[in-house]
Amino acid sequence: MSTEPEVPANRAPTLTDVAKLAGVSVATASKAINGRDEVKAATRARVLKAAELLSFAPNALARALLGGRTGTVGLLTSDLEGRFSIPILMGAEDAFGAGEVSVFLCDARGDAIREAYHVRALLSRRVDGLIVVGSSTDPRPPLAGTIPVPVVYVYAPSADPGDISITVDNVGGGRLAVDHLLACGRREIAHVTGEPGFAAARDRAEGAAAALADAGLSMLGGKPYYGSWDETWGRAAAHIVVEQHPEVDAIFCGSDQIARGVLETLRDLGRDVPHAISVIGFDNWDAIAAHSRPRLTSIDMNLERLGAVAGRRLFEAIAGAEPPSSEQYPGRVVMRDSTAPAG
Amino acid sequence: MSTEPEVPANRAPTLTDVAKLAGVSVATASKAINGRDEVKAATRARVLKAAELLSFAPNALARALLGGRTGTVGLLTSDLEGRFSIPILMGAEDAFGAGEVSVFLCDARGDAIREAYHVRALLSRRVDGLIVVGSSTDPRPPLAGTIPVPVVYVYAPSADPGDISITVDNVGGGRLAVDHLLACGRREIAHVTGEPGFAAARDRAEGAAAALADAGLSMLGGKPYYGSWDETWGRAAAHIVVEQHPEVDAIFCGSDQIARGVLETLRDLGRDVPHAISVIGFDNWDAIAAHSRPRLTSIDMNLERLGAVAGRRLFEAIAGAEPPSSEQYPGRVVMRDSTAPAG
DNA sequence: CTGAAAGCGCTTACAG
DNA sequence: CTGAAAGCGCTTACAG
């Protein structure tokens, strides 16, 4: 007849194949491979060599079927395009990737139906937990239905205060920006920002106002210049501010794109940035901030850390730890060349 | 004694629970749930109601253990940060998400060790296939080791021509850009681009040169102005080009960031864009292209489609179709305000 | 049309 | 120290 190969070519080698090749039972092979210490050294060596020979990789599905835990989590984003999701996602992936956890990525595209569909699929794959990444800092509705595994919301908090949400401290971020300008000796500070419909805009403005109040000052014009998040508004707003308040010596912008527009207009007007007028942005978006003239000082919200924290909290919750409560994280100032003491 | 609940509270309901509640065998419950037609309508109804009642979701792991296929694929990126990966990833996620396939996301961070580690993990989770997303268009080494499932490389081709690679046609993209400028009646065309160490730079330049040659023209200065991919180089290069070739009437830029810098310098110099000089970029990066002055015409490489194609090809390969061969996809011109006929 | 039995690849008490 | 047996949750021939 034909020669009988130890292992059929067309399928992944199983523990049975390894055991056969090593001349032991599957039970023993299992113990050897998993480093249990009730195995004679010589036996273990034989098993490991056999596994090596067959490039055996234990079937994680079979394992999961037993253990209860699968070592997988779902990462649910509502908007991959938005650049805020990406660093968060990287942070989370990193927090897990270091361990034994694999991450399912699902983009709901901002659609509740798609989201529900994805959740269903993830649950049927028996993920150990879920991370929900929002695309704005506004609260979002909690996941529909009863979710039998821990869930951590990140960036956008869940509207249900009972849920675990890891968010950015935008009020603190606004404070940070203004405190930096104050440290540069600025007193006549305007705030140009995005749409007031966004919590991010309102929160940053609130923080800015509070920092100014603490210094006995108020915002130039008495309130923020609300508009949109882009450069076009930044350019227009700079014209308005300079005209209405020629004494302006600093502008805190709600985004780097706005700041970029402000910078361009100030350049067109021949204003000296950073000395006559200092400008600080928000987001620390490298592509925008690192190549403007001058290069833009900005607030970085440490989104990658945020993702990593979310990953760790989920991990803890899965491990059955005390359900962690919600947390807010502050940002930091990244100095470039658009802010400096008056000179 | 105590009341006996139909299902213990603390674990996911199983098919056995459903069967018990419906008063049938697990075999019958399975058939009912899977829509096999050897089940009496009334029985099926009872089973479905029971499943509904328990919010039963079939355990995908157990299913996969049988069927051979898991309905999962691995998406291996080398650099999530790079903005090229994201649209590709969205396209792929979309191609799969529509079906029954879930996607594992792994970021190797450009590290071969991490990559090997992730591949190992994915294989032990028995993914049905792998998509490898590169971060530049330069060929990359194929995955190490023997991979027992289909692999599709996207954006960066595998260095092994026997592998399936889905890539962007950068030569064609360079052609497209120059053809557009020629259509605008331009004849004195310079090419400012990034580092010559990148295949993307060389390929686009090659396409540009070919299109010019076809029109009986050659590049202003005889060759591309190579530099770096950022705005700073764009600004510097524009000065150089204008000085060396005052007759310049169009500049093809190897990236939108370069183009943005070029635009700024031309503005500083008082040159009328698009009429005196037309400028076209590459990448169609909205944040950069849509807010410049004037807004930038650019080549879009349709990366999301690229990802979707990769997803479909992998799908076909998994289904056992003829191993698809490698493919290259052209881009398209996205008109904004920086190119126009001379006026 | 329905159900008892075998089996997917593994791990874990439990004997020996 | 080693192995036979049961079982994780499901599906699929095979009887009835």
Side-chain angles (χ1 to χ4, degrees):
Chain A
M1 303 290 168
S2 65
T3 49
E4 283 144 318
E6 299 278 357
V7 179
N10 264 350
R11 78 184 162 64
T14 74
L15 191 57
T16 307
D17 299 323
V18 174
K20 211 167 289 174
L21 183 56
V24 299
S25 71
V26 277
T28 301
S30 171
K31 287 166 199 154
I33 294 223
N34 291 302
R36 312 304 228 76
D37 50 332
E38 330 109 80
V39 182
K40 210 201 313 185
T43 310
R44 180 193 313 285
R46 243 180 323 130
V47 171
L48 291 182
K49 176 164 306 170
E52 173 77 41
L53 228 63
L54 301 175
S55 10
F56 169 74
N59 186 323
L61 280 70
R63 268 187 173 161
L65 202 48
L66 292 256
R69 211 157 291 173
T70 59
T72 60
V73 303
L75 200 52
L76 217 48
T77 74
S78 42
D79 173 22
L80 261 183
E81 197 146 19
R83 62 182 195 295
F84 302 120
S85 312
I86 306 304
I88 293 171
L89 194 150
M90 288 180 65
E93 203 263 353
D94 215 40
F96 291 125
E100 300 284 71
V101 177
S102 296
V103 174
F104 281 115
L105 176 69
C106 303
D107 185 359
R109 301 275 196 287
D111 174 10
I113 306 287
R114 272 184 85 106
E115 181 171 284
Y117 167 83
H118 276 137
V119 169
R120 225 190 129 66
L122 290 171
L123 291 180
S124 104
R125 295 198 188 281
R126 298 295 187 264
V127 293
D128 298 327
L130 250 27
I131 290 188
V132 180
V133 185
S135 60
S136 88
T137 69
D138 293 88
R140 53 150 287 154
L143 291 182
T146 316
I147 311 292
V149 295
V151 181
V152 172
Y153 296 82
V154 57
Y155 199 65
S158 163
D160 180 343
D163 290 331
I164 306 166
S165 301
I166 312 292
T167 53
V168 137
D169 179 6
N170 274 305
V171 176
R175 247 183 198 288
L176 226 46
V178 166
D179 283 343
H180 174 67
L181 295 174
L182 292 170
C184 290
R186 309 290 158 171
R187 315 289 290 173
E188 309 294 343
I189 302 177
H191 180 35
V192 175
T193 192
E195 303 168 45
F198 283 75
R202 297 191 305 272
D203 290 347
R204 290 165 196 172
E206 178 188 331
L212 285 166
D214 287 357
L217 301 170
S218 63
M219 237 170 239
L220 224 48
K223 56 179 194 299
Y225 289 82
Y226 284 113
S228 61
W229 294 106
D230 55 48
E231 295 179 52
T232 308
W233 166 238
R235 289 186 199 120
H239 277 291
I240 299 170
V241 168
V242 166
E243 182 159 325
Q244 293 183 349
H245 302 283
E247 72 276 24
V248 59
D249 64 7
I251 303 180
F252 163 35
C253 302
S255 78
D256 286 347
Q257 288 182 279
I258 293 173
R260 179 94 190 220
V262 164
L263 246 30
E264 284 190 28
T265 289
L266 294 180
R267 194 159 191 281
D268 285 355
L269 295 175
R271 297 308 185 95
D272 175 10
V273 177
H275 302 107
I277 304 183
S278 279
V279 175
I280 185 168
F282 208 102
D283 293 338
N284 192 32
W285 185 5
D286 194 77
I288 303 294
H291 300 279
S292 55
R293 285 182 294 180
R295 299 181 321 127
L296 184 66
T297 295
S298 187
I299 302 295
D300 187 311
M301 294 313 287
N302 297 318
L303 295 179
E304 193 159 345
R305 182 189 60 188
L306 207 69
V309 168
R312 283 201 294 275
R313 290 293 170 272
L314 182 61
F315 206 75
E316 293 163 12
I318 290 170
E322 188 72 0
S325 52
S326 296
E327 301 172 69
Q328 267 206 334
Y329 282 82
R332 67 181 207 277
V333 175
V334 174
M335 271 286 281
R336 292 201 184 81
D337 311 322
S338 67
T339 54
Chain B
M1 303 283 170
S2 67
T3 49
E4 284 143 315
E6 299 278 356
V7 180
N10 266 349
R11 78 184 161 65
T14 74
L15 191 58
T16 307
D17 299 323
V18 174
K20 210 168 287 174
L21 183 55
V24 298
S25 71
V26 276
T28 300
S30 170
K31 287 167 200 154
I33 294 223
N34 291 302
R36 313 306 227 75
D37 49 333
E38 330 109 78
V39 183
K40 211 202 311 186
T43 311
R44 180 193 313 285
R46 243 179 324 132
V47 171
L48 291 182
K49 175 165 304 171
E52 172 76 42
L53 228 64
L54 301 175
S55 8
F56 169 74
N59 186 324
L61 282 69
R63 270 188 173 162
L65 202 47
L66 291 258
R69 209 156 294 174
T70 59
T72 60
V73 303
L75 200 51
L76 215 49
T77 75
S78 43
D79 172 23
L80 261 183
E81 197 145 18
R83 63 184 193 294
F84 302 119
S85 313
I86 306 305
I88 294 171
L89 194 149
M90 288 180 65
E93 203 264 351
D94 216 40
F96 290 126
E100 299 285 72
V101 177
S102 295
V103 174
F104 281 116
L105 177 69
C106 303
D107 186 358
R109 300 275 196 285
D111 175 8
I113 307 285
R114 270 183 87 107
E115 181 172 282
Y117 167 83
H118 276 137
V119 169
R120 225 190 127 65
L122 290 171
L123 291 180
S124 104
R125 295 196 187 280
R126 297 294 186 264
V127 292
D128 298 327
L130 247 29
I131 290 188
V132 180
V133 185
S135 60
S136 87
T137 69
D138 293 270
R140 52 150 287 153
L143 291 181
T146 316
I147 312 292
V149 294
V151 181
V152 172
Y153 295 82
V154 56
Y155 199 65
S158 163
D160 180 343
D163 291 332
I164 307 167
S165 301
I166 311 291
T167 53
V168 137
D169 178 7
N170 273 305
V171 176
R175 247 184 198 287
L176 228 45
V178 166
D179 283 342
H180 174 67
L181 295 175
L182 291 171
C184 291
R186 309 290 158 172
R187 317 287 294 172
E188 310 293 345
I189 301 177
H191 180 35
V192 175
T193 191
E195 302 168 46
F198 282 75
R202 297 191 306 273
D203 291 346
R204 289 165 197 173
E206 179 189 331
L212 285 166
D214 286 357
L217 301 170
S218 64
M219 237 171 240
L220 225 49
K223 57 181 195 295
Y225 290 82
Y226 285 112
S228 61
W229 294 107
D230 55 47
E231 296 180 51
T232 308
W233 165 239
R235 288 187 201 120
H239 277 292
I240 299 171
V241 168
V242 166
E243 182 160 323
Q244 293 182 350
H245 303 282
E247 73 276 24
V248 59
D249 64 8
I251 303 179
F252 163 35
C253 301
S255 78
D256 286 346
Q257 288 182 280
I258 292 173
R260 179 93 191 220
V262 165
L263 247 28
E264 283 190 28
T265 289
L266 294 179
R267 194 159 193 282
D268 285 355
L269 295 175
R271 297 307 184 99
D272 175 10
V273 177
H275 302 107
I277 304 183
S278 279
V279 176
I280 185 168
F282 207 103
D283 293 339
N284 192 31
W285 186 4
D286 195 76
I288 303 294
H291 300 280
S292 54
R293 286 183 292 179
R295 300 182 319 128
L296 184 65
T297 296
S298 187
I299 302 294
D300 187 311
M301 294 312 287
N302 298 317
L303 295 179
E304 194 159 343
R305 183 191 56 188
L306 207 69
V309 169
R312 283 200 294 273
R313 291 293 170 271
L314 183 61
F315 206 74
E316 292 162 11
I318 290 170
E322 189 70 359
S325 52
S326 296
E327 303 172 68
Q328 267 207 336
Y329 281 82
R332 67 181 205 278
V333 176
V334 175
M335 271 286 281
R336 292 198 185 82
D337 310 323
S338 68
T339 54

